[in-house]
Amino acid sequence: FVGNSTYLDDHGPPPQKVLPFPSQVVYNRVGKCGSRTVVLLLRILSEKHGFNLVTSDIHNKTRLTKNEQMELIKNISTAEQPYLFTRHVHFLNFSRFGGDQPVYINIIRDPVNRFLSNYFFRRFGDWRGEQNHMIRTPSMRQEERYLDINVCILENYPECSNPRLFYIIPYFCGQHPRCREPGEWALERAKLNVNENFLLVGILEELEDVLLLLERFLPHYFKDVLSIYKNPEHRKLGNLTVTVKKTVPSPEAIQILYQRMRYEYEFYYYVKEQFHLLKRKFGLKSRIRKPRPRPEFFIPSPLETEEPIDDEEEDDEKWLEDIYKR
């Protein structure tokens, strides 16, 4: 108090915090698609730019009941803005529960490469684990750990056939039970959500361009992200995360995987095409490779894609546990 007047009388109300637009961003990250690499960058960026990075310790629950969806949406919506929320979770429709729909971002990867990365990572970890003589999945029996990838695919082991291979689409399709069924319905719904709710879905094979576009679209969150990513100290950390003991399956095994993943590839090609259109719009060139005819589809070496540092896998892993305990 100054005399009979208050601070507000003399100065008016304190200035309100001016929020950037958008002030609510959700990165519902897909496992083994560079997500930990991006989260490491976000930790640095949140301190640098002063946004609220909201992460989750839950890594094994991607599908939620209606009540769990309501609870999570309520918790996210009440976070201090501007916020960026990140968690391994299938797409959540905020507006269905009366909330403001945030802006979504995500990154996906060639489905076979994602599968191979996960297959060997579960068995042998990465260089961080090798140095400590640690094995990634202790409960796995030795014959399972050293199961040849070609045998797994060609002899229809559960790990190398559905539902394990239908993995990326549900992150974009959402929480509806049909989102877990490989088919046109889930595929089309995933595409629709990409168009209507995602500001950007990038591809890991072109991560630097993904970061460039994120910096352009969401400067309050991603300004300077590329220079941080290219910093030698950060690159050194990334080199510790290359999955070890990777081998490339035979062309025959790849063909079978490709057939089993045909919906995943329809989605991947769709996202890649949209991403390249966006790049052209903003003057970024793509390294054009002549597309391979799809029936003779083959992948580049998995080692061409820099390995992300990744969290525990999602509950898609849980169905495998009993197999390894037999």
Side-chain angles (χ1 to χ4, degrees):
F1 288 95
V2 181
N4 290 326
S5 69
T6 65
Y7 177 90
L8 289 182
D9 290 333
D10 294 335
H11 300 276
Q16 280 194 310
K17 186 177 181 183
V18 178
L19 295 174
F21 181 81
S23 62
Q24 303 168 83
V25 180
V26 172
Y27 170 32
N28 64 320
R29 60 190 194 268
V30 182
K32 303 309 293 175
C33 291
S35 64
R36 277 293 293 143
T37 299
V38 177
V39 170
L40 277 176
L41 290 168
L42 283 168
R43 291 194 199 288
I44 298 166
L45 292 165
S46 65
E47 290 190 20
K48 187 177 171 73
H49 301 318
F51 63 85
N52 182 16
L53 179 63
V54 186
T55 59
S56 172
D57 294 329
I58 301 168
H59 305 303
N60 62 354
K61 197 162 183 59
T62 55
R63 300 185 295 282
L64 310 176
T65 65
K66 188 177 176 182
N67 284 340
E68 287 168 340
Q69 289 177 58
M70 287 172 70
E71 187 65 24
L72 181 56
I73 286 170
K74 188 176 101 180
N75 289 343
I76 297 170
S77 299
T78 53
E80 184 188 349
Q81 297 180 26
Y83 69 72
L84 190 149
F85 174 81
T86 181
R87 172 176 160 178
H88 292 304
V89 66
H90 296 169
F91 175 78
L92 291 160
N93 189 341
F94 282 58
S95 54
R96 181 185 170 206
F97 299 100
D100 291 333
Q101 191 70 5
V103 160
Y104 272 84
I105 58 172
N106 218 322
I107 300 171
I108 65 171
R109 179 185 190 178
D110 177 285
V112 166
N113 272 335
R114 195 216 66 81
F115 168 75
L116 293 178
S117 177
N118 191 52
Y119 183 89
F120 292 106
F121 182 67
R122 295 190 77 257
R123 284 161 170 75
F124 306 112
D126 52 32
W127 287 112
R128 294 169 300 168
E130 286 282 295
Q131 286 170 339
N132 297 318
H133 307 290
M134 286 159 45
I135 295 289
R136 176 69 182 165
T137 315
S139 61
M140 195 182 283
R141 296 182 314 182
Q142 287 299 87
E143 59 266 36
E144 293 284 358
R145 190 177 307 284
Y146 292 98
L147 175 64
D148 183 271
I149 184 80
N150 291 300
V151 172
C152 185
I153 295 164
L154 296 172
E155 297 187 12
N156 297 322
Y157 277 68
E159 186 177 0
C160 295
S161 56
N162 281 331
R164 188 69 199 139
L165 306 182
F166 189 69
Y167 185 92
I168 296 171
I169 286 174
Y171 280 85
F172 299 87
C173 177
Q175 297 289 336
H176 192 286
R178 288 186 70 184
C179 287
R180 285 297 296 168
E181 298 169 13
E184 291 292 331
W185 189 91
L187 170 65
E188 292 306 318
R189 183 161 167 153
K191 287 181 184 176
L192 188 68
N193 276 333
V194 166
N195 293 338
E196 292 186 353
N197 293 295
F198 283 80
L199 178 69
L200 178 70
V201 183
I203 56 170
L204 184 62
E205 293 83 357
E206 297 171 42
L207 181 57
E208 289 193 8
D209 287 340
V210 178
L211 297 177
L212 265 174
L213 287 176
L214 284 170
E215 185 170 355
R216 180 164 291 200
F217 295 164
L218 298 168
H220 184 77
Y221 300 87
F222 286 97
K223 190 173 188 302
D224 301 323
V225 66
L226 201 57
S227 57
I228 295 167
Y229 175 69
K230 287 181 165 181
N231 182 295
E233 287 303 307
H234 181 83
R235 301 297 282 186
K236 195 162 66 180
L237 184 62
N239 288 339
L240 292 177
T241 64
V242 175
T243 300
V244 297
K245 299 184 189 293
K246 263 189 183 173
T247 57
V248 180
S250 69
E252 182 190 2
I254 291 286
Q255 277 296 105
I256 289 169
L257 270 187
Y258 178 64
Q259 290 305 319
R260 290 175 184 168
M261 293 178 160
R262 62 190 179 278
Y263 292 111
E264 292 279 278
Y265 270 102
E266 281 299 317
F267 183 69
Y268 175 73
Y269 290 137
Y270 177 78
V271 166
K272 191 173 184 177
E273 187 181 4
Q274 298 300 309
F275 181 64
H276 284 171
L277 285 171
L278 205 56
K279 279 174 60 172
R280 282 203 294 278
K281 184 176 173 183
F282 287 92
L284 296 174
K285 288 191 169 65
S286 298
R287 288 168 299 182
I288 301 299
R289 293 179 185 166
K290 189 177 177 186
R292 302 176 185 90
R294 292 195 188 184
E296 288 79 47
F297 175 82
F298 194 69
I299 59 164
S301 160
L303 298 177
E304 280 187 22
T305 303
E306 182 182 332
E307 273 307 306
I309 305 167
D310 224 328
D311 284 324
E312 295 297 314
E313 277 293 332
E314 302 78 338
D315 58 347
D316 302 73
E317 292 278 302
K318 296 296 180 191
W319 70 277
L320 284 170
E321 286 181 2
D322 291 340
I323 296 168
Y324 294 126
K325 287 174 183 169
R326 282 176 201 155

